[in-house]
Amino acid sequence: RKEVEQDPGPFNVPEGATVAFNCTYSNSASQSFFWYRQDCRKEPKLLMSVYSSGNEDGRFTAQLNRASQYISLLIRDSKLSDSATYLCVVTRGYNTDKLIFGTGTRLQVFP
Amino acid sequence: DAGVIQSPRHEVTEMGQEVTLRCKPISGHNSLFWYRQTMMRGLELLIYFNNNVPIDDSGMPEDRFSAKMPNASFSTLKIQPSEPRDSAVYFCASSLTGPGGSLTFGSGTRLTVV
């Protein structure tokens, strides 16, 4: 079983739509969680951290469910510029230095 | 801040040749990571350093791969001899150690071994 699993997509949505991605992780001892964004042929960049109580940053909402070991990302009012691959990232167990990346979910927003 | 700087951006080499990838982390960051990205396997952690010391190299594929960090501002990843299956994008990233630390990536080196 992969340490971090994501639906590869692609998710094709119209502008203005709401879209949600889920991610599951296998190590119950993982401590920190993140969503990264990667544009085509670019490096990954931090989108947001994911906190136990859930957190919001503008149109983006991230949630963590430790009991079920999954993380979600909700994007409201999708923009064309949101088109990218979204990578779910968790630390490997108690080691907060090692970040393990999922293979990503591709989002394509169309006009 | 110039960010994480990697060189070269692109490298095309023949099978059997030695390849050296270079990375300069963000000043003040004390952890450095080497990742490899392919379509099939996504981003794989190869090795990481903390305060210039290799902490975990369990992701290094085989003995053909080696990494060094002689000082806080420079690291290399070497492949000798290179093989076509090593073709990938190699990313270097740095961070400040500690809970909740996030990574800043360089632009990557796109390696093609023919």
Side-chain angles (χ1 to χ4, degrees):
Chain A
R1 183 184 173 189
K2 289 183 180 178
E3 290 186 79
V4 181
E5 295 204 59
Q6 294 183 251
D7 180 343
F11 285 62
N12 296 305
V13 303
E15 275 185 291
T18 295
V19 61
F21 311 135
N22 287 331
C23 159
T24 58
Y25 60 96
S26 62
N27 193 327
S28 61
S30 293
Q31 297 294 303
S32 298
F33 309 88
F34 308 88
W35 283 100
Y36 277 69
R37 169 191 170 130
Q38 186 172 25
D39 293 297
C40 187
R41 301 181 79 85
K42 297 286 189 179
E43 72 273 21
K45 293 183 178 178
L46 178 66
L47 177 65
M48 60 194 302
S49 301
V50 185
Y51 302 120
S52 298
S53 56
N55 50 298
E56 190 173 304
D57 183 2
R59 298 181 293 107
F60 298 83
T61 301
Q63 292 195 315
L64 168 64
N65 184 317
R66 284 189 185 271
S68 300
Q69 294 180 207
Y70 80 80
I71 306 154
S72 64
L73 177 68
L74 181 78
I75 305 175
R76 291 181 298 278
D77 189 22
S78 298
K79 310 291 185 191
L80 294 176
S81 58
D82 294 334
S83 298
T85 297
Y86 291 83
L87 304 168
C88 174
V89 186
V90 307
T91 52
R92 177 172 282 167
Y94 291 108
N95 185 334
T96 58
D97 289 339
K98 291 183 70 168
L99 296 190
I100 306 303
F101 285 72
T103 51
T105 297
R106 187 172 164 214
L107 172 66
Q108 184 67 48
V109 181
F110 58 88
Chain B
D1 194 329
V4 177
I5 300 172
Q6 290 187 247
S7 64
R9 290 295 304 274
H10 302 274
E11 177 80 34
V12 180
T13 190
E14 291 186 347
M15 183 173 63
Q17 297 298 305
E18 177 180 297
V19 176
T20 299
L21 311 181
R22 297 173 175 81
C23 176
K24 175 179 167 54
I26 290 174
S27 177
H29 281 188
N30 57 354
S31 290
L32 182 140
F33 303 77
W34 283 100
Y35 283 86
R36 176 172 69 176
Q37 187 173 38
T38 60
M39 288 291 290
M40 292 299 295
R41 301 170 70 95
L43 268 166
E44 300 174 280
L45 178 61
L46 301 178
I47 185 171
Y48 83 93
F49 297 83
N50 184 256
N51 293 322
N52 311 339
V53 175
I55 302 299
D56 187 337
D57 65 354
S58 59
M60 296 286 261
E62 49 198 271
D63 291 345
R64 298 184 297 106
F65 286 69
S66 62
K68 294 182 179 179
M69 191 165 186
N71 56 62
S73 59
F74 184 65
S75 177
T76 60
L77 177 68
K78 187 176 292 187
I79 308 172
Q80 166 64 18
S82 58
E83 297 182 3
R85 60 193 168 117
D86 301 331
S87 298
V89 180
Y90 291 81
F91 287 105
C92 175
S94 68
S95 73
L96 283 170
T97 302
S102 62
L103 299 182
T104 301
F105 283 81
S107 299
T109 295
R110 185 171 296 273
L111 173 65
T112 303
V113 183
V114 298

